[in-house]
Amino acid sequence: MLLEQHIEELCLELREAIGPVERREIEIELELTRAELAVITAEQEGALDAEPPF
């Protein structure tokens, strides 16, 4: 899956990050990507309804 590969790449980038600003930017992107993957997984498992509530 593409998101899983992106997460792997971000983890590698995080290990090589030099400064605190770069590190924080990567951490934020990693957190957002993991959240996106969690939502997609929940939708696929039927644990989350993707339709709006109205």
Side-chain angles (χ1 to χ4, degrees), residues 4-43:
E4 291 166 338
Q5 291 172 345
H6 188 59
I7 289 170
E8 258 184 58
E9 291 171 2
L10 287 171
C11 288
L12 291 172
E13 284 182 32
L14 189 58
R15 286 187 210 130
E16 297 176 4
I18 297 171
V21 173
E22 179 185 15
R23 184 170 189 76
R24 185 63 189 141
E25 288 174 352
I26 296 169
E27 288 171 340
I28 290 169
E29 187 175 354
L30 183 57
E31 184 177 339
L32 290 172
T33 306
R34 285 178 173 160
E36 185 178 354
L37 181 59
V39 168
I40 291 170
T41 301
E43 287 174 350

Side-chain angles (χ1 to χ4, degrees), residues 40-53:
I40 291 170
T41 301
E43 287 174 350
Q44 289 176 346
E45 293 174 354
L48 181 68
D49 188 8
E51 296 294 320

